[in-house]
Amino acid sequence: MKLPRIGMMAAVIMAFAGHAMAADAPKIDPAQRTQGMKEAPPVVQAAGLDCTIADALYVGQGSTKVDGKDVDSKVYEVACKEGLGYLVISPKGSAPEYYDCLALKSAADAAAKAGKSSGGQTCKLPANLDPK
């Protein structure tokens, strides 16, 4: 996995914290799925991920700091046929960053166990909820 730029990851994931996964199966907006399936493939390719997309979801859009400047970013979740899913952040004009769903879920679970809100994004596509 690519080593993340912590500042960028924290800023963008916090911006999308409202989309965090609930305890029950999350509802998936069909329009967000359609948009994700259309827009995510070139982003995944640009990120250099070894991922044949089985499902994708457009999570949202926000702003993050890249090299000290505010940059518009889009966030996608992808489920890969190879097994592991990712949250992919695509800042306009910069290389995409990605974070595996399993690591995001583990961090959220650890925060919950410690009695804290993770404050971050987790994956919600069915294939990413229980990766095998």
Side-chain angles (χ1 to χ4, degrees):
M1 180 165 91
K2 185 175 180 181
L3 293 176
R5 287 185 280 177
I6 299 301
M8 180 179 172
M9 177 179 93
V12 174
I13 289 178
M14 290 300 290
F16 297 102
H19 298 280
M21 184 177 72
D24 345 40
K27 294 178 183 169
I28 308 263
D29 180 333
Q32 286 179 284
R33 181 175 263 153
T34 299
Q35 185 175 351
M37 289 297 288
K38 178 182 176 184
E39 296 177 6
V43 174
V44 167
Q45 184 177 17
L49 285 167
D50 183 20
C51 174
T52 305
I53 296 177
D55 200 0
L57 181 68
Y58 170 73
V59 176
Q61 184 170 328
S63 180
T64 189
K65 295 261 186 214
V66 176
D67 298 327
K69 296 181 182 181
D70 286 327
V71 176
D72 289 333
S73 298
K74 289 186 176 183
V75 179
Y76 303 93
E77 179 186 343
V78 295
C80 305
K81 291 181 182 177
E82 293 78 9
L84 188 60
Y86 298 93
L87 198 65
V88 184
I89 302 167
S90 179
K92 189 174 185 174
S94 296
E97 297 283 332
Y98 57 90
Y99 309 93
D100 73 73
C101 291
L102 197 55
L104 293 171
K105 174 90 169 84
S106 294
D109 288 349
K113 188 175 181 179
K116 301 176 183 176
S117 169
S118 71
Q121 176 71 38
T122 56
C123 297
K124 66 181 191 177
L125 288 172
N128 292 335
L129 294 180
D130 186 23
K132 305 240 185 285

